[in-house]
Amino acid sequence: MRVLVVEDHGNMRDVLTRGLAEAGHTVEAVADGPTGLARGVSGSYDAIVLDVMLPGMDGFAVCRALREREVWAPVIMLTARDAVEDRVRGLDHGADDYLVKPFAFTELLGRLRALQRRGAPPRPAVLQCGPLSLDPAARVVRCRGEAVDLSRREFALMEFLMHNRGHVLSRAQILEHVWGHDYDGVSNVVDVYVKYLRDKIDRRFSLELVQTVRGSGYRLACAEGTS
């Protein structure tokens, strides 16, 4: 495998480079986020080992920028932070796997082998609903060609609606899929976020895409002006 290592800590970078080379891999190593992004875009790598805490641009931003530039090499993120939200954040930004420091080097090798067997992930298809498009990989929403700035939760809600466009989704279904265990007990949280989407999309572009189905929930209608 040809592996790119992006790690700012000199000793760790040397250990990774030497260990991967001894395991038979071809290794290139850089020490900061912007250089890692540039190498990742310009090179053809079978895998990228990416630290989270990097100078210039953190690993989350590097991973997201790689996916936005349609670089689909598998990414393993390395971090000293073991909080669940940090691991989820890395995966949400396009990472394929996550290792918390300190870790056994043999585990890194095993995960690289698993990613190699799996192959590069396919690019997720862009979802379309009338004039609205949602790119799950780049995490970009556009309406009539204009970018729509959505928060992480707004994006997740819109993605769920678009995957089920034309179907009525109950508030309970939306809560379970979009909020899951993060649901804080606010009874009208779905309605609040639907309003956010309507403010940013329907009202801005004079559409009626996000529809209320009285007594049932919400539905995404994909024809402009549909009521």
Side-chain angles (χ1 to χ4, degrees):
M1 295 178 70
R2 185 165 182 248
V3 182
L4 174 64
V5 172
V6 188
E7 166 64 66
D8 67 316
H9 193 280
N11 289 339
M12 175 61 78
R13 188 171 63 251
D14 291 343
V15 167
L16 291 171
T17 302
R18 184 171 58 254
L20 289 168
E22 289 175 354
H25 301 296
T26 301
V27 188
E28 292 186 32
V30 298
D32 62 80
T35 305
L37 175 59
R39 290 287 183 87
V41 170
S42 62
S44 178
Y45 298 96
D46 299 301
I48 299 172
V49 178
L50 177 63
D51 191 36
V52 168
M53 302 300 292
L54 293 169
M57 187 180 193
D58 69 27
F60 297 127
V62 172
C63 189
R64 178 171 181 173
L66 287 170
R67 298 317 190 211
E68 288 174 347
R69 289 160 175 77
E70 300 195 4
V71 175
W72 304 111
V75 172
I76 297 180
M77 299 198 77
L78 308 178
T79 183
R81 300 187 290 189
D82 61 355
V84 172
E85 55 266 29
D86 289 324
R87 297 199 297 273
V88 171
R89 185 181 174 195
L91 296 171
D92 281 346
H93 280 72
D96 298 273
D97 206 347
Y98 213 98
L99 270 177
V100 177
K101 299 176 182 177
F103 55 85
F105 191 77
T106 52
E107 183 178 4
L108 173 61
L109 292 177
R111 296 193 182 207
L112 283 171
R113 287 193 296 270
L115 290 176
Q116 186 178 32
R117 289 193 298 270
R118 189 189 312 168
R123 190 190 199 287
V126 174
L127 303 175
Q128 195 75 36
C129 179
L132 188 70
S133 67
L134 182 147
D135 188 333
R139 302 190 71 77
V140 171
V141 175
R142 295 185 183 278
C143 191
R144 295 177 181 155
E146 294 185 38
V148 179
D149 184 24
L150 298 183
S151 70
R152 181 175 66 87
R153 194 76 72 180
E154 291 164 356
F155 186 95
L157 174 55
M158 180 52 72
E159 185 176 13
F160 186 47
L161 289 170
M162 291 191 77
H163 273 298
N164 295 277
R165 49 197 178 276
H167 297 284
V168 178
L169 298 172
S170 69
R171 289 172 178 81
Q173 287 176 302
I174 294 172
L175 276 173
E176 180 179 359
H177 186 89
V178 177
W179 276 266
H181 296 299
D182 293 333
Y183 175 50
D184 60 7
V186 179
S187 61
N188 67 336
V189 66
V190 173
D191 304 317
V192 169
Y193 273 80
V194 165
K195 180 183 182 301
Y196 293 159
L197 292 182
R198 284 173 169 162
D199 287 342
K200 292 185 175 183
I201 297 172
D202 283 351
R203 293 182 178 89
R204 175 181 170 186
F205 296 97
S206 300
L207 298 169
E208 295 181 27
L209 298 180
V210 185
Q211 300 180 349
T212 301
V213 180
R214 193 176 301 277
S216 298
Y218 294 101
R219 173 179 59 206
L220 194 67
C222 295
E224 294 192 44
T226 302
S227 58

